[in-house]
Amino acid sequence: MLRKENLARLLLASGLLIALVLPFAGRWLQNSLSPHTIELHARIPEDGGWKPEALQATVDQPLRLRLISDDVAHGFALGQMDRLPVDLLPGEVKEITITFDHPGTYTFYCTRWCGPNHWRMRGVIEVNGPIQRPVSGQSVPLWVRLGLDLDAPHPAAVAPESKPAAKRGMALLAELETDGKIYDQDYYRSHAPAQVWQELRAIPSLKDRSDAQLWDVVAAIWQHNTDARSLAEGQKLYAANCAACHGQQGAGDGVFASKPPPDKKASQGMPTGADNPLKAPADFTDSASMLGASPALLQGKILRGGMGTGMPMWGTIFTQEQTWDLVAYLFSFQFEFNLPEAAR
Amino acid sequence: MSARLDLTRYKSLAGLLRNPWPQFLIRILALAGFLFTILAGLLGTPVGSHNFAIIFVWIAWWSALKLIFIPFGGRFWCSFCPIPMPGEWLQRGGLLVRGNRTVGLGLPWPRRLTGAWLQASGFLLVGLFAAVTLTTPRVTAWMLLGFLVLALTMDLIFAPRTFCRRLCPIGGFTGLYAQVSPLEVRVKDPQVCATHSPKTCFLACPWGLYPLTLKSNADCGLCLECLRACPSDNIAINLRQWGADLHPGGRRLLAEAFLGLIMLASALVDAAVFLGPWGWLKVAAYSVGSRSWWAFSGGFLLLALVILPAMFILAVWLSARLAHPQLDLRQTLAHRSQVLVPLGLMAWIAFTISFALTKAGTIPSVLSDPLGWGWNLFGMAGQAGTGQVTLLSLTVQAVVLAVGLAWSCRVARRISASLREALPLAVFAFFFNSTMLWLLAA
């Protein structure tokens, strides 16, 4: 009888030991099988965002990440890198490997609108290495070179009565006898549409043209500096990253625009409700401010963010080219473009 | 007395039941699984649908309890439930045999706390937090750990199985519906027991029951210690008709009516929260502590403690008035509460069909990756298919509810003196089942 009891105790102890050790042994085995894999957990920013937020890597050495969403659907993407975002569904585990060519600070971010503070969900990867070349897109941006004040108001001195159409302006643009500077990309980027209109208005040979005709020419110049691919890319970026605040139609009325953070936790320490000092997102359909903004100014706002609006900085995420595509698309809220497969 | 088939007539089966080892091995497995579940809840992914603790407790076990264990085996689950095991072994001083050194004071449970009141209240209390508990692995883990510690503590103070009989909310649920189960422990020949001394079966029973006086399945945990202890082979494990414990005879407690009504209200609320299309209700049930949760809890308690009881009291009062105006309402309520048993059980089964069906697809995936850490033990991780509530499942649910209605009407007729007397109870059952069907179809 005693032997039976002892056997029972041995079995019980073994069973309990197996149950208690199983998770830890499994964890240990998992780590031994795939060493150097970093587990990166995604949670909505109200619950801490990425964990860890800062990672280290070395040039030419693969960085293995095990990505896990602990709550809702998130996405993982690396700024300024030509990689497709990885969708992270709750509880599912995705493993990816990234190899960096250049040292620098890379930003990774969430690509799904996971919550009111979605755009704060970012982290960085410090990549160390011997080759000290800057990451692409880190050259001095145009707005800095031009010395623009991103926070100053930029009202347009003049505005059209109806939406200018590039199609109507193209014929007149071809007839224009100018010194050719209006075809120059730097001219386009550094001038606001209202400025260009005023310069056109001052040309004596155009004094017979109506104000509306000259606005069509401005639209044509803007169209001349973009193409269908850029507009499509701009539209895609806008829909994925901007529309939630600025609205699908650019009117600054996106789903997250008017809502103050729902509670103290979501506000992450920022003032809520009436005390919220944040300005509303920019309205791209408002010609009074849009036509007073040069492409360089808009690009600067995108790159840096801020302006007292809660706008995130995109400089570490978008490439230079992507920001210009986006700027070109923003002007489609003001101008009628007609390009094959044009975005609007 | 209706027909019974004594399973101990089959020698090999009787031998298997008498042998303590199979039960003991299942108990080890259950306790080990229980500990693993707690660890998985605490350490594993917070995403419920990918955590062993949520899927195995609330999808696999909770469904199996309602679909298999209770309808076919009554309190069969209690015979290897891991929660009271550590305490029971300590009290007995051994795993298989009674040791010399036993632990625990063995005090009797206060008389005024007997009856199923506490169990029913516990079930109601757990129900208020169900939306969080059923989806949050950590909460489930802490709750299981809490039950383990509570059971152990009670075993150290009170008589064996006091936790199971007086506090365990699932014990209340299982005990109530075990009355309809087709499996029972009874004595073969009362004469043998009457002349036998000492009462070895009574001394062996951890539940403190004397098999000779067993009239209902409600308290018998089917541990079969009496079968093993009886020197005269006088214990029968009977297969019987479903619902055999529901009959006109015997004294019943008012707490049974309370328990039955709480279970009905909980089935309605769970169906509305978990299967209903009302997002705001889910949010309210989930946001524990918020104003909307208080409103939800208030509504739940109002339904469970006021509305349903008032309707049932009205039905019983009408029923009693039609028969004997001088009847004691308290006693009549307790007696007529038998109609709530098949009604509630079938409602819970109907609810479980949807609830389990939509989530059962996650079981293989969670087996392969129990902690949601990216393991793939059986190559089935990430294959979580979500089931659909189809017309077929809805038809099955409607049939189950119809059976529940017919069954409770039959019980109502059986325990009433006349058809007129049974009618108000049948109307109550019809009203409840229609609401349940509406919730399931919504």
Side-chain angles (χ1 to χ4, degrees):
Chain A
M1 212 57 192
L2 196 63
R3 266 185 58 195
K4 273 189 187 171
E5 178 66 18
N6 284 338
L7 178 63
R9 288 182 186 190
L10 184 71
L11 284 172
L12 176 67
S14 318
L16 301 190
L17 194 68
I18 290 171
L20 289 174
V21 165
L22 202 62
F24 301 99
R27 187 67 161 192
W28 175 81
L29 191 67
Q30 187 181 23
N31 290 340
S32 325
L33 290 176
S34 53
H36 314 302
T37 300
I38 297 171
E39 213 165 271
L40 182 58
H41 287 262
R43 291 185 180 199
I44 56 168
E46 291 79 7
D47 283 338
W50 297 105
K51 201 172 147 193
E53 269 181 328
L55 303 170
Q56 300 280 332
T58 307
V59 164
D60 291 337
Q61 283 185 17
L63 171 69
R64 268 194 282 272
L65 294 177
R66 186 178 298 132
L67 305 169
I68 303 173
S69 162
D70 287 342
D71 45 28
V72 296
H74 295 281
F76 172 91
L78 261 180
Q80 303 183 342
M81 290 271 280
D82 198 15
R83 288 180 70 97
L84 285 175
V86 181
D87 273 340
L88 308 177
L89 296 178
E92 288 181 13
V93 180
K94 291 255 172 80
E95 296 207 2
I96 60 166
T97 304
I98 311 167
T99 309
F100 295 90
D101 298 335
H102 306 295
T105 305
Y106 293 77
T107 298
F108 60 90
Y109 62 105
C110 176
T111 55
R112 294 271 203 120
W113 286 97
C114 55
N117 287 292
H118 152 76
W119 53 269
R120 296 186 195 211
M121 193 168 161
R122 295 182 179 185
V124 289
I125 304 176
E126 286 290 346
V127 180
N128 304 303
I131 324 152
Q132 289 304 323
R133 270 193 290 155
V135 174
S136 65
Q138 286 191 351
S139 56
V140 180
L142 186 58
W143 69 276
V144 176
R145 279 184 276 141
L146 292 173
L148 299 178
D149 180 359
L150 299 182
D151 302 304
H154 42 83
V158 284
E161 285 180 355
S162 60
K163 198 173 186 180
K167 191 179 178 182
R168 291 196 298 266
M170 275 297 181
L172 190 57
L173 181 64
E175 291 171 19
L176 270 185
E177 287 176 16
T178 64
D179 50 9
K181 70 173 182 184
I182 58 171
Y183 290 107
D184 183 45
Q185 195 183 52
D186 279 351
Y187 175 80
Y188 150 76
R189 285 180 176 174
S190 56
H191 284 73
Q195 265 179 301
V196 174
W197 185 88
Q198 283 173 311
E199 286 189 16
L200 291 173
R201 189 72 286 177
I203 298 174
S205 61
L206 294 176
K207 68 175 190 308
D208 295 339
R209 302 294 182 175
S210 70
D211 288 357
Q213 280 179 311
L214 294 190
W215 274 114
D216 289 341
V217 175
V218 174
I221 294 171
W222 253 247
Q223 176 171 301
H224 173 78
N225 279 285
T226 187
D227 54 39
R229 187 213 56 79
S230 282
L231 285 178
E233 174 70 9
Q235 185 183 32
K236 208 172 82 189
L237 291 170
Y238 183 86
N241 301 289
C242 319
C245 292
H246 291 281
Q248 206 67 43
Q249 303 304 319
D253 58 354
V255 286
F256 287 122
S258 56
K259 281 183 195 161
D263 53 37
K264 212 172 167 188
K265 193 175 160 201
S267 76
Q268 298 201 313
M270 285 168 55
T272 56
D275 298 332
N276 188 349
L278 288 186
K279 285 192 251 168
D283 173 3
F284 301 129
T285 61
D286 173 26
S287 47
S289 71
M290 270 301 275
L291 297 177
S294 66
L297 185 77
L298 293 184
Q299 191 214 27
K301 287 171 185 265
I302 295 169
L303 289 175
R304 192 205 67 178
M307 282 83 66
T309 60
M311 165 97 173
M313 66 175 286
W314 295 96
T316 55
I317 288 177
F318 296 150
T319 61
Q320 287 274 353
E321 197 189 348
Q322 284 176 318
T323 56
W324 289 125
D325 293 342
L326 202 44
V327 167
Y329 176 71
L330 293 186
F331 279 107
S332 72
F333 293 115
Q334 290 296 325
F335 300 138
E336 206 76 64
F337 292 139
N338 77 309
L339 286 161
E341 300 165 46
R344 289 177 70 81
Chain B
M1 191 166 157
S2 55
R4 263 123 168 113
L5 173 67
D6 178 12
L7 296 178
T8 61
R9 276 170 37 189
Y10 306 101
K11 288 282 172 272
S12 53
L13 187 58
L16 195 68
L17 295 174
R18 251 183 222 108
N19 189 331
W21 280 100
Q23 187 187 57
F24 178 70
L25 292 177
I26 299 174
R27 284 176 171 181
I28 293 181
L29 207 64
L31 188 58
F34 192 76
L35 287 187
F36 181 76
T37 305
I38 292 173
L39 281 179
L42 294 177
L43 305 174
T45 173
V47 178
S49 58
H50 289 261
N51 191 306
F52 185 87
I54 293 295
I55 298 304
F56 267 76
V57 173
W58 300 120
I59 304 301
W61 167 79
W62 184 218
S63 300
L65 189 73
K66 290 176 285 180
L67 298 180
I68 301 164
F69 286 116
I70 294 176
F72 296 99
R75 293 195 86 140
F76 185 52
W77 164 259
C78 299
S79 69
F80 45 84
C81 173
I83 295 174
M85 277 307 128
E88 184 163 305
W89 287 328
L90 283 175
Q91 284 173 323
R92 194 157 60 184
L95 302 179
L96 290 178
V97 292
R98 196 171 288 274
N100 298 325
R101 279 187 307 157
T102 58
V103 182
L105 303 174
L107 298 178
W109 182 249
R111 269 188 80 84
R112 63 173 62 178
L113 294 181
T114 52
W117 300 100
L118 284 177
Q119 289 179 311
S121 308
F123 196 87
L124 196 56
L125 194 69
V126 171
L128 296 181
F129 301 93
V132 171
T133 317
L134 266 64
T135 53
T136 318
R138 266 178 193 76
V139 177
T140 286
W142 282 113
M143 193 182 81
L144 297 184
L145 199 59
F147 279 147
L148 196 66
V149 172
L150 185 63
L152 184 60
T153 313
M154 287 189 62
D155 279 336
L156 295 180
I157 301 170
F158 298 104
R161 293 280 181 170
T162 301
F163 171 78
C164 308
R165 290 191 60 183
R166 307 299 180 202
L167 276 192
C168 177
I170 301 301
F173 181 90
T174 316
L176 177 72
Y177 297 126
Q179 297 181 78
V180 308
S181 112
L183 202 62
E184 66 174 14
V185 171
R186 297 289 188 272
V187 296
K188 292 176 185 171
D189 178 3
Q191 273 308 308
V192 175
C193 299
T195 54
H196 178 229
S197 181
K199 310 296 185 194
T200 43
C201 54
F202 173 69
L203 295 174
C205 178
W207 295 77
L209 302 173
Y210 180 34
L212 179 64
T213 59
L214 259 185
K215 294 280 184 287
S216 152
N217 268 0
D219 289 332
C220 171
L222 293 167
C223 63
L224 307 185
E225 290 302 334
C226 52
L227 179 77
R228 291 172 199 129
C230 180
S232 317
D233 186 20
N234 197 35
I235 297 289
I237 312 294
N238 289 328
L239 272 183
R240 59 176 199 183
Q241 254 186 1
W242 269 289
D245 283 350
L246 308 173
H247 51 72
R251 194 173 164 273
R252 289 179 181 269
L253 302 170
L254 191 60
E256 289 178 43
F258 181 62
L259 191 64
L261 287 165
I262 296 283
M263 297 307 161
L264 291 193
S266 301
L268 288 178
V269 172
D270 279 5
V273 170
F274 293 108
L275 306 177
W278 304 287
W280 56 269
L281 185 64
K282 286 183 213 293
V283 171
Y286 189 81
S287 320
V288 170
S290 72
R291 204 177 293 173
S292 59
W293 178 80
W294 282 105
F296 159 77
S297 302
F300 191 165
L301 294 178
L302 193 71
L303 177 73
L305 303 177
V306 181
I307 299 174
L308 265 185
M311 288 172 62
F312 185 63
I313 289 170
L314 180 71
V316 171
W317 180 78
L318 281 173
S319 158
R321 286 285 298 177
L322 292 170
H324 322 280
Q326 74 282 11
L327 265 188
D328 171 17
L329 186 65
R330 232 178 124 87
Q331 233 327 290
T332 319
L333 267 176
H335 186 252
R336 302 287 150 92
S337 74
Q338 293 182 81
V339 296
L340 305 178
V341 176
L343 191 65
L345 179 64
M346 297 318 263
W348 275 104
I349 289 176
F351 164 74
T352 306
I353 288 170
S354 282
F355 188 70
L357 191 84
T358 47
K359 309 278 178 357
T362 53
I363 293 176
S365 155
V366 165
L367 266 180
S368 266
D369 185 13
L371 294 113
W373 285 347
W375 300 1
N376 199 357
L377 301 177
F378 309 106
M380 295 180 292
Q383 290 181 8
T386 46
Q388 297 269 315
V389 178
T390 59
L391 193 63
L392 178 72
S393 70
L394 199 60
T395 313
V396 174
Q397 286 172 322
V399 170
V400 167
L401 287 178
V403 169
L405 179 62
W407 193 355
S408 55
C409 288
R410 194 162 161 248
V411 171
R413 179 68 192 91
R414 199 168 159 196
I415 60 174
S416 308
S418 68
L419 193 63
R420 257 162 58 108
E421 214 178 307
L423 198 64
L425 300 172
V427 171
F428 174 86
F430 176 77
F431 187 79
F432 170 81
N433 254 6
S434 309
T435 314
M436 192 69 195
L437 185 65
W438 173 69
L439 285 172
L440 293 176

